[in-house]
Amino acid sequence: MAPVGSITLVQGIEVGHFTDTRRPTGCTAILAQAGAVGGVDVRGAAPGTRETDLLHPTNLVERVHAIMLAGGSAWGLDAASGAMRWLEEQGVGLDIGVGRIPLVPAAVLFDVQVGDMRIRPDAQAGYAACVAASSAMPAQGNVGAGAGAAVGKIFGMHRAMKGGIGTASVTVDGITMGAIIACNALGDVLNPDTAQVVAGARSPDGRSLIDTRRALLRGDLPQPVLAGSNTTIGVIATDAIITKAQANRLATVGHDGLARAINPVHTMSDGDTLFCLGTGASGRSLGMMVLATMAAEAVAQATLRAVLHANRLQIEAGENHKAVHLPSAADLQ
């Protein structure tokens, strides 16, 4: 698999994971300690988010200091509080005269069907993710917000596969656009260049992929799915100079990358959410046509890498949870 970069190649961006192997679950902090122009676009019908309203172009705050991605469903939103505490200790945040308020929007995915749901990311986990953050290549697969992720659940969890977290970037004329995606999709994950399904719903015997889109179109009935029990979340970042309105537009077109790599996507049972950060650290910009193309490409490739780097997960039944077997993409090749 050829390397395709990382979001940490964007000047001014650091990434850190916290992984709780007891369940597993975790969270991922994407830091912009110098501040970054922020945007967001929520396309899934069952989102779990925090501080997204402040990113609207007409609202006051211009720059944010981190984005938190977490498992644990709504419980995981607490991880952002830990990031705020860590950033405050570093002297990072909006200057309000008597102190600083770090601004940390967040989004969560539903992974509580994997293991004991009483174990979930909290403020301490968010703090630990920030402590671990650096500009090095982030770990991918079964780590951070992707630790408990699964994909292809539309015909039941027993036919699903392991999801994960992935990152990618593209550089044009000295400007970099990167993405980090925690993929916990209801649908299949496809190679965006070939449209081949690489992970998703499996056949009843579990040995092959069925291609969910084709299965639904020929009349196979999906299993009833709990609303919000999926979700792909992520961050797009660029070192180009962009406005807040442009950051929101890049978050929007980033969903084109999700649509190339996930099918079905943006369903009533997904809370698909993408943030965009613009650090401006390159001191330059490109036209929005190029930046938008770069954003969609980075998202698509990061989504693919999330499942290609994932490893199989086997959890035996316990007092408070069911057994789970999630093969990886490599297991079916």
Side-chain angles (χ1 to χ4, degrees):
M1 182 169 47
V4 286
S6 161
I7 193 172
T8 52
L9 293 179
V10 175
Q11 300 176 65
I13 295 295
E14 299 172 296
V15 171
H17 298 301
F18 171 80
T19 306
D20 193 329
T21 57
R22 294 175 297 166
R23 189 155 74 76
T25 188
C27 58
T28 299
I30 297 89
L31 305 183
Q33 294 193 53
V37 175
V40 67
D41 192 302
V42 180
R43 290 296 175 97
T49 58
R50 167 174 164 162
E51 295 277 43
T52 52
D53 283 353
L54 65 82
L55 298 176
H56 191 279
T58 63
N59 290 341
L60 179 64
V61 170
E62 187 72 17
R63 302 176 77 84
V64 298
H65 307 97
I67 303 291
M68 181 62 69
L69 307 177
S73 191
W75 296 104
L77 290 171
D78 195 31
S81 297
M84 289 184 68
R85 179 163 61 90
W86 186 85
L87 288 165
E88 183 184 29
E89 291 174 359
Q90 314 312 308
V92 174
L94 176 66
D95 189 350
I96 57 169
V98 295
R100 292 182 178 273
I101 301 178
L103 299 174
V104 186
V108 293
L109 55 78
F110 184 101
D111 62 359
V112 296
Q113 290 177 320
V114 176
D116 186 346
M117 73 159 287
R118 297 174 301 175
I119 300 169
R120 55 238 181 183
D122 55 13
Q124 184 176 353
Y127 187 98
C130 292
V131 171
S134 76
S135 59
M137 175 76 181
Q140 300 179 83
N142 300 29
V143 295
V151 299
K153 292 163 277 186
I154 200 165
F155 296 107
M157 193 69 169
H158 62 290
R159 292 169 61 180
M161 293 178 65
K162 188 69 184 75
I165 194 165
T167 185
S169 66
V170 291
T171 300
V172 175
D173 194 23
I175 288 176
T176 300
M177 183 81 65
I180 188 164
I181 302 293
C183 185
N184 186 55
L186 178 69
D188 297 339
V189 176
L190 290 69
N191 183 323
D193 293 322
T194 66
Q196 178 183 0
V197 178
V198 295
R202 292 174 290 143
S203 58
D205 65 10
R207 297 179 180 178
S208 61
L209 294 162
I210 64 168
D211 192 327
T212 294
R213 177 177 66 90
R214 295 184 184 278
L216 293 174
L217 290 174
R218 66 173 173 256
D220 291 5
L221 296 178
Q223 184 175 104
V225 180
L226 179 66
S229 56
N230 303 280
T231 297
T232 296
I233 53 179
V235 177
I236 304 161
T238 181
D239 46 29
I241 296 174
I242 57 173
T243 66
K244 196 174 179 183
Q246 288 173 326
N248 277 272
R249 175 52 55 181
L250 290 174
T252 295
V253 299
H255 282 278
D256 294 350
L258 288 188
R260 292 178 200 161
I262 301 172
N263 196 321
V265 70
H266 306 143
T267 75
M268 295 299 291
S269 295
D270 287 284
D272 301 331
T273 300
L274 291 180
F275 297 94
C276 179
L277 297 175
T279 68
S282 70
R284 304 173 48 243
S285 189
L286 291 172
M288 278 297 289
M289 182 64 71
V290 177
L291 290 175
T293 302
M294 294 168 69
E297 182 66 16
V299 168
Q301 295 298 334
T303 304
L304 174 63
R305 296 188 94 191
V307 297
L308 291 182
H309 283 271
N311 297 316
R312 73 171 69 94
L313 180 64
Q314 182 81 42
I315 299 176
E316 301 304 324
E319 182 179 351
N320 298 296
H321 60 271
K322 298 178 180 179
V324 174
H325 171 59
L326 298 170
S328 69
D331 293 331
L332 266 66
Q333 291 179 359

